[in-house]
Amino acid sequence: MRGFWKWGLTSGYSTALLAHLVGSLGFVVSLDVDSNLVKRASSLLAKHNLAHVKAIAADGREGYSTEAPFDRIIVWATADILPLTWIEQLSPDGLIVVPVRLRRLATAVAIARIRKDLNQNLVGERVIPGAFVPLSDKPLTCWYGYAQDADIKAEIKTGDAEMETDVIWASAEWLRREQQIPQAEQILGLMQVASQQDSPLYPDEDVEALRAYLLATYPEGLTTAYTQALGLAIGCSQPGSLALLSLCGLGYAAVGEREAAFKLSDWISSWRAAGRPSFEQLRPVLQYAGRGYQVGVISCPVNYP
């Protein structure tokens, strides 16, 4: 393998694994924006005599043109878009594996595998659940998790001596509109009184598969959230109405008026009618966005090649 470009260092362990994967005839370039991590990793890599590895302190979004093109690019941070520099530095028939933001919602992220074919076209091959910290041009000294991307949030008391407060949050297109501020505050109130109920999903149905379908279809009112009762959740919200399914196996909650619960029920019925597609049936789609490509997803038939 000619080259393997990687973004994200800690101890350099994953870089060492990639060095073994490409073999002595291959070459690995590993980038991280934190120069202290790069120094530590470089020392450890040299200690283990990995001469076909180069660790660089740099903004990963710029790639590393000096050693381009690369057969593989793998990214250990969540990108908002796929930068043009990565595409330009990728070999024909090369692969990029990267966690990306699929929608403008907190937790609406996944890991995409994208190939640059022999005709220089980008082909989305696969999506799997997963994510990392956000891609940044500076060392990330403090990250508050998905709450940082939420549209509304509130700090509440927990009654736990070790963790006195917790942050509940929600994210939805309609919640970020200025004219909806009073209704958004109402949603925060509903989240605090939400309690666990029996899930509308059947025992053999996977909420993660439903999440994949909803990310692909993106129905109006789609909401991601975190509540004390449910943990991370996905569902529907609209003024005065909230219905959420826990992603942590903690059931379901519907509070306020019933419209959100009815909508979520309709979405579940549509998912069942479509054959209950999961992440296995999603494929990345790319749309040019000026300085790179926005990555979304579509649901494909089970027999998609």
Side-chain angles (χ1 to χ4, degrees):
M1 187 172 289
R2 161 65 186 83
F4 208 126
W5 180 103
K6 170 184 170 289
W7 163 257
L9 276 169
T10 49
S11 65
Y13 179 74
S14 58
T15 301
L17 292 179
L18 295 177
H20 286 288
L21 178 66
V22 303
S24 59
L25 297 180
F27 190 71
V28 177
V29 174
S30 195
L31 307 178
D32 197 291
V33 74
D34 190 328
S35 59
N36 291 323
L37 290 180
V38 171
K39 289 177 184 177
R40 178 172 181 253
S42 295
S43 175
L44 291 169
L45 293 167
K47 181 179 178 180
H48 290 276
N49 300 314
L50 293 171
H52 56 305
V53 170
K54 181 183 289 188
I56 306 292
D59 184 347
R61 290 171 295 189
E62 299 302 319
Y64 194 66
S65 60
T66 303
E67 298 290 348
F70 298 96
D71 298 314
R72 302 288 187 269
I73 294 175
I74 185 167
V75 185
W76 259 257
T78 301
D80 287 333
I81 65 168
L82 204 63
L84 287 175
T85 48
W86 298 356
I87 309 303
E88 293 164 353
Q89 294 175 24
L90 187 65
S91 300
D93 202 35
L95 285 174
I96 296 177
V97 176
V98 54
V100 289
R101 180 178 297 282
L102 303 175
R103 302 290 186 182
R104 289 188 61 200
L105 296 177
T107 75
V109 292
I111 298 172
R113 186 175 73 192
I114 296 160
R115 185 180 298 274
K116 181 180 181 180
D117 69 17
L118 296 176
N119 295 317
Q120 310 292 313
N121 298 312
L122 297 178
V123 180
E125 291 192 339
R126 191 178 177 194
V127 180
I128 62 172
F132 294 96
V133 298
L135 189 62
S136 172
D137 61 352
K138 296 180 178 62
L140 199 62
T141 58
C142 189
W143 184 55
Y144 297 100
Y146 294 120
Q148 195 162 304
D149 298 324
D151 295 301
I152 57 172
K153 64 190 78 172
E155 189 173 282
I156 58 175
K157 294 182 178 180
T158 65
D160 186 333
E162 294 185 1
M163 188 177 71
E164 295 182 357
T165 62
D166 198 4
V167 176
I168 62 172
W169 57 262
S171 183
E173 292 279 355
W174 74 272
L175 289 173
R176 66 181 66 109
R177 300 172 192 152
E178 289 187 13
Q179 67 271 28
Q180 300 289 358
I181 290 176
Q183 290 86 349
E185 293 294 330
Q186 185 182 27
I187 292 296
L188 284 173
L190 292 176
M191 291 170 65
Q192 293 183 57
V193 299
S195 59
Q196 294 179 28
Q197 305 168 33
D198 291 338
S199 173
L201 298 183
Y202 301 143
D204 65 335
E205 292 180 333
D206 181 12
V207 67
E208 191 68 13
L210 174 62
R211 184 174 84 93
Y213 174 77
L214 294 176
L215 288 176
T217 56
Y218 203 49
E220 184 178 357
L222 182 63
T223 303
T224 58
Y226 172 86
T227 78
Q228 286 189 301
L230 300 178
L232 288 176
I234 192 167
C236 179
S237 69
Q238 56 187 69
S241 185
L242 179 68
L244 296 171
L245 278 165
S246 173
L247 297 173
C248 311
L250 299 177
Y252 166 77
V255 286
E257 299 173 6
R258 297 296 299 169
E259 283 80 359
F262 294 148
K263 272 194 174 183
L264 180 56
S265 179
D266 288 343
W267 298 349
I268 293 171
S269 295
S270 297
W271 171 62
R272 289 169 177 157
R276 301 191 296 190
S278 65
F279 274 96
E280 286 294 320
Q281 283 75 54
L282 294 191
R283 294 296 180 269
V285 291
L286 293 93
Q287 182 176 5
Y288 183 66
R291 54 194 179 91
Y293 289 87
Q294 188 72 48
V295 182
V297 285
I298 58 172
S299 183
C300 296
V302 176
N303 61 352
Y304 186 88

